[in-house]
Amino acid sequence: MLLPTLRLLRYGLGNSVSRRILSSGLDICDNCEMSRLEHATMIYLGEATADTFSCRVYSSLLGTLVDIGLHVFHVDKRLFTEYFRENTARTGLLAVLRGIARYGVTKPQLLDAPFLVVWNLTDACNLHCRHCYQKAGVRKPDELTTVEKLRIVEELAKAGVVSIAFSGGEPLMAKDFFEVASKVKEEGMHLAIATNGTLISSDIAKKLKTVGTDYVEVSLDFADAASHNDFRGVDHAFERTLQGIRNCVAEGIYTCIATTATRLNLHQIHRIIELAKQLKVKRFIAFNFIPSGRGREEADLDLTAEDREQLLRQLFAANEEGDIEILSTAPQYARVSMEASRGAKVAPTHFYIGEVAGELKVLAEFIGGCGAGRLYCALQPNGDVSPCVFMPDLKVGNLREQSFIDIWRHDQVLVRLRDRTLLQDGCGKCEYKLICGGCRARALAYHNDVLAPDPGCIYNSRDEIGAEMQEKMKVFAKMATLEQGQVLATSGRKD
């Protein structure tokens, strides 16, 4: 249903007449206490009734428009209405409709509100990971109060945010986690949590299920206990993480293993995927390592562009086995999949993989690779908003001082991030800039400029522009290899 609907939205509702109709529904109706567009959509889906003459007129107009589009693009109306009656799906549809109403059809698509807000709920953490983008450890004195957090959940829901993913630090160390999580579900949003898994006992897994958690992403960096514990800075973390994963799977929660790919674990990625299969999780995702937070002191852990390219091709090939969904946060994954596909599957974005079809290129251009500040943003423990969790120091506003929707629509950093014509040099000239765009967090980390070329891409490494940065990365890599060899020789371990 996703791809046929996308065709309808892009080609059926992207014309000037349709956009004018959509735009006229953005105002809030005093009677309905919601936008006319939202109310009319719910009426069309059979989830509400028209109480006023103006609502009846507008809902009839929108319904006719959608019916024509469904007919032209051969989309089954019954399946369409059933699919979008689900609250999260409906909220996502409305986010796209409002985006088209406000900005028209764009490549990549601009949204009136983000699909996802990754909320670093606390800086407190029970581990001390070498690569932590947040430099987490101890709860900061300026963290939001529970009252403020609950208000912000309401504000994000009102803005039209589809999903909130709690991260940290370790989000389960926040004493009010379940109270805030319950509020997310009460407001009808998708609820996700990114965790190290060590605190997920059987009882906690049951509470996560009871509160309505839709998705749990557990970080695991090595397939053996000694390496993982050393990297995470705490003994027995590996065993506790595996048990946390088992507890989530036992409760029937959609569970994912997330691995940050570095030079230290690159050779173990295939073993981690095999372990993920044994644990019966549904997804494995390889995260980009970005030298931010504590990771800034570990820049030598980063992969070379060539290593990243090889890894992404291996990940895409592994999807053919079909046992588990295998994805990556590297925006180059979409480009790699389109180059490598031989008629099976394509990954137009780092959170979706589907059967090859003409619409998938449309979806790829719609999603547009890196979504920092366009599809999603990050919220820090003190209410600061940043374009991405891997840009923790790039503050674009604070929810104690401004409304979320004002920051999202008007901050100039976010506005510039959404305009692919502003990308510089390699990324700006690349034929794949609409479906990839390069990692903007990596550009910021290495060039101190969110619009600079991503040095982690082989296309840039082959250009003169990326040559100097690639040489620096290779020096870091050699130093890391020598240091790792010295450590292994001293400890007597073999990796």
Side-chain angles (χ1 to χ4, degrees):
M1 184 52 61
L2 178 62
L3 294 177
T5 300
L6 181 62
R7 291 178 65 202
L8 165 64
L9 294 173
R10 182 169 284 280
Y11 300 123
L13 302 183
N15 59 76
S16 59
V17 174
S18 298
R19 183 185 173 191
R20 194 172 295 116
I21 293 172
L22 293 175
S23 299
S24 66
L26 292 177
D27 293 336
I28 301 296
C29 172
D30 293 334
N31 260 346
C32 311
E33 297 184 344
M34 64 177 78
S35 71
R36 295 191 188 281
L37 179 59
E38 180 178 0
H39 191 203
T41 301
M42 294 180 69
I43 292 169
Y44 185 84
L45 297 173
E47 297 292 294
T49 57
D51 300 321
T52 66
F53 176 75
S54 60
C55 282
R56 284 195 295 273
V57 171
Y58 183 77
S59 63
S60 176
L61 191 60
L62 182 68
T64 300
L65 187 66
V66 174
D67 281 341
I68 293 172
L70 293 176
H71 176 73
V72 170
F73 294 102
H74 308 292
V75 181
D76 186 286
K77 182 174 180 176
R78 181 182 59 81
L79 294 178
F80 178 88
T81 53
E82 285 180 1
Y83 182 83
F84 287 105
R85 277 188 187 126
E86 193 277 321
N87 198 61
T88 301
R90 185 173 69 249
T91 306
L93 175 64
L94 283 165
V96 176
L97 290 175
R98 288 196 308 272
I100 293 174
R102 193 171 296 278
Y103 305 109
V105 172
T106 61
K107 293 183 182 182
Q109 185 60 47
L110 302 182
L111 299 179
D112 194 46
F115 281 137
L116 171 67
V117 172
V118 181
W119 188 342
N120 293 324
L121 198 60
T122 179
D123 276 322
C125 191
N126 58 330
L127 302 184
H128 191 78
C129 307
R130 290 175 58 180
H131 64 319
C132 180
Y133 62 75
Q134 193 70 7
K135 207 170 186 177
V138 179
R139 183 185 184 277
K140 302 296 193 304
D142 64 344
E143 287 188 9
L144 296 164
T145 66
T146 301
V147 171
E148 288 176 314
K149 293 173 185 176
L150 296 176
R151 175 189 63 77
I152 286 172
V153 171
E154 291 181 353
E155 184 176 354
L156 295 178
K158 186 176 180 180
V161 172
V162 179
S163 177
I164 291 180
F166 289 113
S167 187
E170 172 50 53
L172 289 173
M173 289 192 70
K175 294 180 180 179
D176 54 6
F177 170 80
F178 283 101
E179 183 178 358
V180 181
S182 295
K183 182 67 172 176
V184 170
K185 295 306 295 183
E186 179 186 319
E187 294 292 334
M189 289 183 283
H190 181 273
L191 171 63
I193 174 175
T195 169
N196 62 46
T198 60
L199 301 180
I200 305 181
S201 63
S202 178
D203 286 343
I204 292 296
K206 284 181 170 60
K207 288 186 71 174
L208 288 171
K209 178 70 173 180
T210 300
V211 81
T213 305
D214 297 288
Y215 180 82
V216 173
E217 187 175 271
V218 183
S219 51
L220 184 72
D221 294 302
F222 291 86
D224 70 280
S227 300
H228 181 82
N229 294 341
D230 178 67
F231 195 69
R232 292 277 169 169
V234 173
D235 292 337
H236 308 298
F238 183 77
E239 293 84 354
R240 290 162 60 193
T241 293
L242 292 195
Q243 190 56 53
I245 293 169
R246 293 188 188 100
N247 291 336
C248 289
V249 172
E251 289 300 321
I253 303 172
Y254 193 109
T255 308
C256 165
I257 285 180
T259 297
T260 300
T262 67
R263 286 186 52 79
L264 298 181
N265 65 5
L266 184 61
H267 62 291
Q268 282 205 17
I269 298 295
H270 69 286
R271 289 175 55 193
I272 302 173
I273 292 174
E274 289 305 312
L275 179 57
K277 292 177 182 179
Q278 294 171 22
L279 293 169
K280 301 187 185 306
V281 305
K282 294 188 176 183
R283 173 184 290 177
F284 169 84
I285 185 165
F287 268 72
N288 253 342
F289 168 78
I290 306 294
S292 64
R294 194 177 296 125
R296 191 172 296 150
E297 303 162 13
E298 302 277 1
D300 57 322
L301 297 180
D302 204 359
L303 303 180
T304 65
E306 290 76 12
D307 284 341
R308 180 171 292 100
E309 183 77 6
Q310 184 177 3
L311 172 62
L312 293 178
R313 291 186 178 279
Q314 291 172 346
L315 293 176
F316 182 70
N319 271 295
E320 293 301 305
E321 298 174 17
D323 300 327
I324 187 174
E325 187 176 50
I326 300 174
L327 300 173
S328 172
T329 62
Q332 290 84 8
Y333 198 46
R335 187 260 303 162
V336 165
S337 73
M338 289 188 172
E339 290 179 339
S341 178
R342 294 295 183 269
K345 293 183 176 180
V346 171
T349 167
H350 67 255
F351 55 82
Y352 176 80
I353 190 164
E355 298 299 322
V356 168
E359 294 94 336
L360 278 170
K361 185 175 186 297
V362 176
L363 177 59
E365 291 180 346
F366 175 88
I367 297 297
C370 180
R374 183 178 55 85
L375 295 181
Y376 69 90
C377 64
L379 179 58
Q380 305 301 335
N382 66 351
D384 284 347
V385 178
S386 56
C388 171
V389 290
F390 293 107
M391 303 177 185
D393 299 324
L394 184 56
K395 174 182 173 180
V396 298
N398 183 282
L399 296 189
R400 282 172 167 155
E401 303 164 359
Q402 299 166 264
S403 72
F404 177 79
I405 205 67
D406 181 57
I407 296 169
W408 179 259
R409 289 180 184 169
H410 304 299
D411 178 78
Q412 287 306 298
V413 173
L414 301 182
V415 170
R416 287 168 64 80
L417 274 168
R418 296 164 190 163
D419 187 350
R420 291 287 164 85
T421 67
L422 299 178
L423 292 179
Q424 300 167 11
D425 304 320
C427 288
K429 298 173 183 176
C430 182
E431 64 178 299
Y432 293 104
K433 71 178 179 181
L434 295 180
I435 67 171
C436 171
C439 176
R440 297 300 96 215
R442 182 180 301 283
L444 179 65
Y446 282 103
H447 296 295
N448 199 33
D449 187 343
V450 293
L451 299 175
D454 176 359
C457 176
I458 58 165
Y459 280 30
N460 289 330
S461 70
R462 292 166 180 166
D463 292 338
E464 290 183 11
I465 294 161
E468 182 180 350
M469 185 58 65
Q470 288 298 317
E471 287 304 312
K472 290 180 181 178
M473 292 174 71
K474 287 177 182 177
V475 170
F476 286 146
K478 288 177 182 178
M479 292 172 59
T481 301
L482 289 173
E483 290 174 5
Q484 185 187 18
Q486 291 169 357
V487 170
L488 292 176
T490 303
S491 65
R493 282 198 293 116
K494 293 182 179 180
D495 223 353

